[in-house]
Amino acid sequence: MTMSSINEPCYGILCHRQYVDRVSNALLAIDDEWRTIDGKKEEATPTSTTPSVDQSSKCLLVPTSMEKGPRKSRTGYSLLVLQNCIMSPAQLPPTARRQLSWAGRLSHKTEIKSPCVAEEENNITGKKRTRGNEKEEDEQSDSYLSIINTVASEIWKELTSNGFDIDKEVLRIDAHPKTINSNSEVCLAMQRCANAEISCASDSPIKLALSASVVTTVVSVVFTSQQVAYWGIAPNRTHFAELNQRLNDYATKEVAVEATDCKSGLDNSSACQLSSDTPVSRAYYKLAQVFEDEHLLDKIASLRGIDTSGKDSKHLLLNHGSGLDVGASPGGWSQVLCNQLCIPAVALDPAVLAKRVDSLAGVTHIRAELNSKEAIAGISQHAPYSTIVCDACLSNPKTLIEKIFEALESVKQVLKESGNEKGRVVTFPLCTVFTLKFPHKTTGSIARFIDTTSEALPDYFRRFATLGGQGNVEVTYKICHLFANSISERTVIAVFNKK
């Protein structure tokens, strides 16, 4: 048996299956691959922005029971052990934290070389298991008895060495996965360890509870196999107030969305007057996360020669042009452009904008279809643009990008006719953010749509680069899965810069 301390931050978490990759990438600082297109080159080349990370060694996915079927297999939670985390799960955005049902800090790893046979373990504990009509989980838990007893012994030693007062303190044990009946088995093993050292009339000398208001110390254990377990001990406040009481339903309360009437734009809520910062849709959190991406912000800042250490540095990054929000209604992305980036936002959509967005001083609403004369004229008045974003819903994302380009080509022509010889629709560096909304939700169909879209993106980006006039333009882009994206959505972020 070997036990080792884990020096780097390590957490066990229960994460919604659809968010496993997104959460683990965020906690392990694994960025989506950025690719670069040079106007003179035919193919996009990968651009490294983060150190190479072997995700398999940092993220352990513990097998858990899954329901069969393409839809049911996407429900439920996956058990993860994440090593070398750059932050606590409590520091994730609320859109991510709401997808975590439990987290525990793990500080030790226990490993046994050759697990004992369950029969021998039962003889050691003095209890013979009857087979009869035992459930399958009990049979499975037998194979884990050796590691369970070993871990319980190590935990008890750690507790007593840290001055655990068995008469005054109350313990909570969170052991996973539940499929091996781990919680009850660890509790029983811990009681036996305590009984072996303390002469007590009771078989249960350790006070156990679940309630956060009663518990003083929490033990978190994750069994990754019949030979290996990760575990940690934390005081009440560290486990609850600073971690688990920021997850799941607690985090859901932080994701504020106050919808408006689709015809009038008035707030549906009868509560007090809502501020202009209150998100009008779930989509708000997509663009908000994009402009929290440190790699993106640093990229734009370096191109503009801006020091990002200042408090309001984000307001300076894209203030050299306007922001265009295509398909803006009800206005979540226009809110981000105006309130977070502090740039004038042109919201293009024939539908109504939320009143609290339309009333913002920096927002101009053009109620017209994308390629209509009214839209072209309105967009022309506010050119050039440093930011172009779109969260509109079209079954074919390539068609959406094509339509946006055609509209901006028309704007370029209008500008030339009005005396602007260069016809500059955009200014560099230019940042574009488009949501790709795929029509099907199966894993295979999503992968195919991503592949076909990825093949088409370089050509579209080269065409977009011509909107800023002549010259060689370098484009850096990535396709990512934001926390507020649905399972069938992806977001394309691109930065254009004239070389």
Side-chain angles (χ1 to χ4, degrees):
M1 185 273 294
T2 59
M3 187 193 78
S4 57
S5 297
I6 303 173
N7 297 321
E8 299 297 328
C10 177
Y11 292 90
I13 63 173
L14 277 172
C15 176
H16 193 287
R17 286 200 172 99
Q18 292 183 17
Y19 288 80
V20 167
D21 289 340
R22 286 176 268 183
V23 169
S24 59
N25 286 353
L27 291 176
L28 299 176
I30 301 174
D31 193 20
D32 295 281
E33 183 180 61
W34 288 85
R35 303 186 71 84
T36 298
I37 304 169
D38 192 303
K40 296 179 180 179
K41 295 181 180 179
E42 291 299 323
E43 296 182 358
T45 56
T47 302
S48 177
T49 57
T50 55
S52 177
V53 179
D54 181 5
Q55 187 175 7
S56 61
S57 65
K58 307 296 182 184
C59 176
L60 302 177
L61 182 62
V62 183
T64 53
S65 60
M66 296 179 64
E67 293 188 65
K68 295 181 179 179
R71 293 187 178 181
K72 290 182 178 179
S73 63
R74 295 196 299 265
T75 62
Y77 287 78
S78 291
L79 179 60
L80 306 174
V81 173
L82 299 176
Q83 304 174 68
N84 289 17
C85 295
I86 63 166
M87 59 180 164
S88 162
Q91 294 174 287
L92 289 169
T95 46
R97 286 186 276 117
R98 68 191 294 194
Q99 307 300 337
L100 307 181
S101 67
W102 171 85
R105 178 70 185 266
L106 308 175
S107 55
H108 295 78
K109 176 183 178 181
T110 297
E111 184 173 2
I112 56 176
K113 298 298 182 182
S114 54
C116 301
V117 181
E119 180 75 20
E120 296 175 0
E121 289 296 329
N122 291 330
N123 290 334
I124 290 173
T125 59
K127 294 186 179 181
K128 191 77 172 178
R129 291 181 183 269
T130 58
R131 285 298 171 199
N133 296 321
E134 268 187 320
K135 294 182 179 179
E136 185 179 343
E137 300 92 62
D138 292 331
E139 296 178 0
Q140 188 179 4
S141 67
D142 280 354
S143 62
Y144 279 80
L145 281 178
S146 184
I147 185 66
I148 288 174
N149 287 329
T150 303
V151 166
S153 176
E154 294 298 329
I155 293 173
W156 176 247
K157 290 177 183 177
E158 186 72 14
L159 284 170
T160 53
S161 66
N162 290 331
F164 179 76
D165 190 335
I166 199 168
D167 295 321
K168 296 180 180 180
E169 297 195 54
V170 180
L171 201 64
R172 170 176 170 142
I173 297 176
D174 288 340
H176 300 273
K178 303 297 185 185
T179 50
I180 62 170
N181 204 19
S182 55
N183 237 43
S184 60
E185 293 291 353
V186 173
C187 289
L188 290 171
M190 289 282 294
Q191 297 288 14
R192 290 194 292 270
C193 290
N195 255 326
E197 291 191 19
I198 302 171
S199 54
C200 180
S202 171
D203 287 338
S204 306
I206 302 175
K207 298 181 181 69
L208 298 172
L210 294 175
S211 174
S213 62
V214 176
V215 169
T216 58
T217 305
V218 179
V219 173
S220 300
V221 189
V222 177
F223 297 96
T224 58
S225 71
Q226 296 175 18
Q227 294 84 36
V228 181
Y230 293 80
W231 55 274
I233 301 171
N236 178 299
R237 179 172 179 79
T238 302
H239 183 79
F240 290 108
E242 297 176 6
L243 185 55
N244 281 274
Q245 289 178 354
R246 291 181 55 89
L247 311 179
N248 211 351
D249 291 342
Y250 296 98
T252 299
K253 296 175 184 177
E254 297 178 45
V255 184
V257 175
E258 292 292 345
T260 58
D261 183 79
C262 62
K263 293 183 179 179
S264 66
L266 297 173
D267 295 332
N268 287 334
S269 174
S270 58
C272 58
Q273 184 75 23
L274 297 171
S275 72
S276 60
D277 292 332
T278 306
V280 297
S281 64
R282 175 182 61 87
Y284 171 96
Y285 291 96
K286 300 178 193 176
L287 199 61
Q289 183 185 341
V290 168
F291 288 109
E292 291 295 333
D293 186 328
E294 292 184 2
H295 298 119
L296 172 65
L297 300 182
D298 289 344
K299 172 77 173 174
I300 299 173
S302 65
L303 293 174
R304 297 207 64 204
I306 295 174
D307 181 5
T308 57
S309 61
K311 180 180 178 182
D312 297 324
S313 59
K314 190 188 294 186
H315 300 168
L316 306 174
L317 293 178
L318 294 163
N319 66 352
H320 55 291
S322 303
L324 175 62
D325 182 7
V326 179
S329 179
W333 282 26
S334 295
Q335 278 183 301
V336 176
L337 295 177
C338 190
N339 292 338
Q340 289 193 23
L341 298 182
C342 294
I343 61 175
V346 176
L348 176 64
D349 201 304
V352 172
L353 275 192
K355 289 295 183 184
R356 64 176 181 273
V357 177
D358 202 9
S359 62
L360 289 170
V363 173
T364 300
H365 184 199
I366 302 175
R367 295 195 66 174
E369 295 288 349
L370 177 58
N371 286 288
S372 66
K373 291 182 179 179
E374 295 84 354
I376 303 303
I379 295 173
S380 303
Q381 292 176 11
H382 300 272
Y385 294 90
S386 63
T387 314
I388 301 174
V389 299
C390 179
D391 189 47
C393 183
L394 277 183
S395 59
N396 189 337
K398 292 188 291 184
T399 302
L400 171 63
I401 298 174
E402 180 70 34
K403 285 180 175 292
I404 294 174
F405 176 76
E406 290 175 357
L408 296 179
E409 275 280 87
S410 299
V411 171
K412 183 177 181 178
Q413 188 61 35
V414 169
L415 291 174
K416 285 184 176 181
E417 293 173 357
S418 64
N420 186 333
E421 294 182 2
K422 294 183 178 179
R424 282 198 315 138
V425 183
V426 300
T427 182
F428 299 108
L430 165 69
C431 180
T432 64
V433 182
F434 300 142
T435 301
L436 307 178
K437 302 189 177 186
F438 305 122
H440 305 295
K441 296 185 178 182
T442 61
T443 303
S445 63
I446 292 172
R448 286 192 294 273
F449 273 107
I450 291 176
D451 287 342
T452 55
T453 304
S454 298
E455 292 174 1
L457 282 177
D459 286 336
Y460 283 123
F461 286 144
R462 289 189 185 94
R463 295 170 68 186
F464 260 86
T466 64
L467 297 171
Q470 299 298 319
N472 188 24
V473 176
E474 182 182 79
V475 186
T476 305
Y477 72 98
K478 69 175 179 178
I479 301 176
C480 56
H481 202 181
L482 303 174
F483 291 125
N485 282 142
S486 71
I487 189 172
S488 58
E489 291 181 346
R490 296 296 185 273
T491 298
V492 181
I493 307 170
V495 177
F496 298 72
N497 181 53
K498 182 168 287 189
K499 299 178 70 176

